[in-house]
Amino acid sequence: MTGQVETRVRYAETDQMGRAHHSHYIVWCEMGRTALMREHGASYDEIESRGVMLPVTRVEVEYRVPLGYDEAVRIDTRIRSIRSRSVTFEYEVYRSSDEALAARATTMLVCMDGDGKMRRIPEDVMEALRAAAA
Amino acid sequence: MTGQVETRVRYAETDQMGRAHHSHYIVWCEMGRTALMREHGASYDEIESRGVMLPVTRVEVEYRVPLGYDEAVRIDTRIRSIRSRSVTFEYEVYRSSDEALAARATTMLVCMDGDGKMRRIPEDVMEALRAAAA
Amino acid sequence: MTGQVETRVRYAETDQMGRAHHSHYIVWCEMGRTALMREHGASYDEIESRGVMLPVTRVEVEYRVPLGYDEAVRIDTRIRSIRSRSVTFEYEVYRSSDEALAARATTMLVCMDGDGKMRRIPEDVMEALRAAAA
Amino acid sequence: MTGQVETRVRYAETDQMGRAHHSHYIVWCEMGRTALMREHGASYDEIESRGVMLPVTRVEVEYRVPLGYDEAVRIDTRIRSIRSRSVTFEYEVYRSSDEALAARATTMLVCMDGDGKMRRIPEDVMEALRAAAA
């Protein structure tokens, strides 16, 4: 299943080229990932409060169409693959007005405990991820 | 004594008006405050690790001269006043090339414990603040 | 009339105190201002495309209640006063879950032409501002 | 030749995991790229003022070691490849205290005119890039 979130390009997110700066797309992807997990019963905030962290270890973004100030943007998030200690999400960023594909992105997250050691994804989080991926 | 830090306007900090977005000045002030405290033996990171927090409760910024991409900027930080549970910093932001005063700012921070309750500023932090203010 | 926008605290907006960093409130206020103007027929993007700029010259924020990751936030924006060359907006930032007032803010914007000189607010923008203030 | 820039992790750049949020590394890489080009006589600001833009069309970042608040960070920037209409930069982000490699990144930029059409990189910029790559 696909998680969807919508946002608008904030003025603070534009740069002097007059378009959304490329670094913000990564934050929008994070919004999509948060929403997808929340929809499937895995609140990232709650996961972290148990001492389990899912830091991002890899990001790839391919930019296709620039996005301007106040333009409505939709982020579609999917789970590409799940392993015992990591999960890979993929994203499509659309310009809402005409459904133009503005960017594609991928992020890999690994599961760590509070000391920064790799660990298995907890079973309930794994179930939520599998449900989100189904 | 005055703490000084220098930075350059990052491309990501510009907006489509072609100037540094006003929200970033607050982050630059934080850099100045961090540096001033570090110079006087009060590492904010170390303070926080003891469960003492100094969140910002008030910000005022007056913008005078716009700053463009890659322009060198200097932030001068001073302590305006110290109370038992709060401290007020003031800042001047200069464009380095011609010493133009680009902005003035003030922030008030209060001292809290890990539960978010107001508490007295610890004595060693107080001493560092007094030294910084002298 | 009051413009309202809603957002959620993004993970990227949290800091190591576990709350939304104070600089982001200024960006949220900008979202509120953009929405209020858009509702009253004054698209800020369209204004700028005519060579008229409304840079922020003064910001004040008073922070009351911290906001955590993924918390829903509502920004209410009002116009406090309008002059021939400037306009002052005020904002209330609410935590949506319990309507707690998280912050109050004020921003003053001045009207400039493309060369950075002060100028009168164009008549159609003035009308939109008056309608928004009514 | 390698361009080097140094920065410190700003408090505003930390997230509630207590580390620099992954989106900021992209901004640090931009600082490195800006510095490398400036060192070789190609001011990006001056290039843009001639109506030539170099938007980022691809970003890859691999994160290895987390970076904490106020940690000194060094970014080494190199040019990987130059084509007539695009240039690829690569970056290594180091934790200054122990030279730990914190991240590796790559960005591809394409050359566009003011209307967003692909164009050849201007000859003087190309020379600066070649000098930077030598």
Side-chain angles (χ1 to χ4, degrees):
Chain A
M1 288 221 306
T2 301
Q4 288 195 339
V5 287
E6 297 214 324
T7 189
R8 274 178 187 272
V9 176
R10 300 171 174 186
Y11 197 84
E13 291 174 337
T14 62
D15 61 25
Q16 71 177 30
M17 257 188 273
R19 39 172 81 189
H21 188 265
H22 57 282
S23 61
H24 300 295
Y25 291 63
I26 291 177
V27 176
W28 303 338
C29 290
E30 190 171 66
M31 292 167 64
R33 186 167 72 240
T34 293
L36 180 65
M37 291 180 70
R38 196 196 307 117
E39 282 167 26
H40 292 281
S43 151
Y44 185 64
D45 202 41
E46 193 272 329
I47 294 169
E48 247 186 29
S49 70
R50 286 148 55 189
V52 177
M53 298 193 303
L54 289 166
V56 171
T57 55
R58 186 167 178 79
V59 161
E60 287 181 43
V61 192
E62 185 197 336
Y63 305 88
R64 297 185 170 208
V65 172
L67 294 166
Y69 165 55
D70 211 31
E71 280 198 302
V73 176
R74 194 185 80 231
I75 301 99
D76 290 2
T77 306
R78 285 185 192 79
I79 290 179
R80 177 182 290 176
S81 62
I82 307 172
R83 296 196 172 190
S84 62
R85 294 155 185 252
S86 68
V87 53
T88 300
F89 291 84
E90 58 188 22
Y91 314 86
E92 287 167 344
V93 178
Y94 290 94
R95 181 166 61 191
S96 301
S97 61
D98 62 357
E99 292 282 313
L101 180 61
R104 283 178 188 282
T106 308
T107 61
M108 189 169 93
L109 288 74
V110 296
C111 193
M112 289 188 170
D113 61 23
D115 299 325
K117 283 195 193 148
M118 294 268 285
R119 51 154 291 167
R120 295 180 74 84
I121 296 172
E123 192 47 40
D124 60 323
V125 178
M126 190 56 103
E127 277 173 30
L129 292 174
R130 282 196 202 105
Chain B
M1 288 222 307
T2 302
Q4 289 194 337
V5 287
E6 297 213 324
T7 189
R8 274 178 187 272
V9 177
R10 299 170 173 186
Y11 198 83
E13 291 174 337
T14 62
D15 61 25
Q16 71 176 32
M17 257 188 272
R19 39 171 80 188
H21 189 266
H22 57 282
S23 61
H24 299 296
Y25 290 64
I26 292 177
V27 176
W28 302 340
C29 290
E30 190 170 67
M31 291 166 63
R33 188 167 70 241
T34 292
L36 180 64
M37 292 180 70
R38 196 198 306 118
E39 283 168 25
H40 290 91
S43 151
Y44 186 63
D45 201 41
E46 192 273 329
I47 294 169
E48 249 186 29
S49 70
R50 287 148 54 190
V52 177
M53 298 193 301
L54 289 166
V56 171
T57 56
R58 186 164 180 81
V59 161
E60 287 181 43
V61 192
E62 184 197 336
Y63 304 88
R64 298 186 169 207
V65 172
L67 295 166
Y69 165 56
D70 210 30
E71 279 197 302
V73 177
R74 193 186 81 231
I75 300 99
D76 290 2
T77 305
R78 285 185 191 79
I79 291 180
R80 176 183 291 175
S81 63
I82 307 172
R83 296 195 172 191
S84 62
R85 294 157 184 250
S86 67
V87 53
T88 300
F89 291 86
E90 58 187 23
Y91 314 85
E92 288 168 343
V93 178
Y94 289 95
R95 181 166 59 191
S96 302
S97 61
D98 62 358
E99 291 282 313
L101 179 61
R104 282 180 188 281
T106 309
T107 60
M108 189 168 93
L109 287 73
V110 296
C111 193
M112 290 188 171
D113 62 23
D115 298 325
K117 284 197 193 146
M118 294 268 284
R119 52 154 290 166
R120 295 181 73 84
I121 296 172
E123 192 46 40
D124 61 323
V125 178
M126 190 57 102
E127 276 172 32
L129 292 175
R130 281 195 204 106
Chain C
M1 288 218 309
T2 302
Q4 290 195 337
V5 287
E6 298 213 322
T7 189
R8 276 177 186 273
V9 177
R10 299 170 173 186
Y11 197 84
E13 291 175 336
T14 63
D15 61 25
Q16 72 176 30
M17 258 187 272
R19 40 172 79 187
H21 188 266
H22 56 283
S23 61
H24 299 295
Y25 291 64
I26 291 176
V27 176
W28 302 340
C29 290
E30 189 169 67
M31 293 167 63
R33 187 166 71 241
T34 292
L36 180 64
M37 291 180 70
R38 196 196 308 116
E39 283 168 26
H40 293 281
S43 152
Y44 186 64
D45 201 40
E46 192 272 330
I47 294 169
E48 249 186 29
S49 70
R50 288 149 54 190
V52 177
M53 299 193 301
L54 289 166
V56 171
T57 55
R58 187 167 178 81
V59 160
E60 288 180 42
V61 192
E62 185 198 336
Y63 304 88
R64 297 185 170 208
V65 172
L67 294 166
Y69 165 55
D70 210 29
E71 279 196 301
V73 177
R74 193 185 81 232
I75 301 99
D76 290 2
T77 305
R78 284 184 193 79
I79 291 179
R80 178 183 289 177
S81 62
I82 307 173
R83 297 196 173 189
S84 62
R85 293 158 185 252
S86 68
V87 53
T88 300
F89 291 85
E90 59 187 22
Y91 314 85
E92 288 168 343
V93 177
Y94 290 95
R95 181 166 61 191
S96 302
S97 60
D98 63 357
E99 291 282 313
L101 179 62
R104 281 180 189 282
T106 308
T107 60
M108 189 168 93
L109 288 73
V110 296
C111 194
M112 290 189 171
D113 61 23
D115 298 325
K117 282 195 193 149
M118 293 268 285
R119 52 155 289 166
R120 295 180 73 84
I121 296 172
E123 192 48 38
D124 61 322
V125 178
M126 190 57 101
E127 276 172 33
L129 293 174
R130 283 196 202 105
Chain D
M1 287 220 309
T2 300
Q4 289 195 338
V5 287
E6 297 215 323
T7 189
R8 275 178 187 271
V9 177
R10 300 170 173 186
Y11 197 83
E13 290 175 337
T14 63
D15 62 25
Q16 71 176 29
M17 257 188 273
R19 40 172 80 187
H21 188 267
H22 57 283
S23 61
H24 300 294
Y25 291 63
I26 291 176
V27 176
W28 303 339
C29 290
E30 191 171 64
M31 292 166 63
R33 187 166 72 240
T34 292
L36 180 63
M37 291 179 71
R38 195 196 308 117
E39 283 168 26
H40 291 89
S43 152
Y44 186 63
D45 202 40
E46 192 271 329
I47 294 169
E48 249 187 28
S49 70
R50 287 150 53 192
V52 177
M53 298 193 303
L54 290 166
V56 171
T57 55
R58 187 166 178 81
V59 161
E60 288 182 40
V61 192
E62 184 196 336
Y63 304 88
R64 298 187 169 206
V65 173
L67 294 166
Y69 166 55
D70 210 31
E71 279 197 302
V73 177
R74 193 186 81 232
I75 301 98
D76 290 3
T77 305
R78 282 186 194 79
I79 291 180
R80 178 182 289 176
S81 62
I82 306 172
R83 297 194 173 193
S84 62
R85 293 156 186 252
S86 68
V87 52
T88 300
F89 291 85
E90 59 188 23
Y91 314 86
E92 288 167 343
V93 178
Y94 289 94
R95 181 165 62 191
S96 302
S97 62
D98 62 357
E99 291 283 312
L101 179 61
R104 281 180 189 281
T106 308
T107 60
M108 189 168 93
L109 287 74
V110 296
C111 193
M112 290 189 171
D113 61 23
D115 299 324
K117 283 195 195 150
M118 294 268 285
R119 52 156 289 168
R120 295 179 74 84
I121 296 172
E123 192 48 39
D124 60 324
V125 178
M126 190 57 100
E127 277 173 32
L129 293 174
R130 281 196 203 106

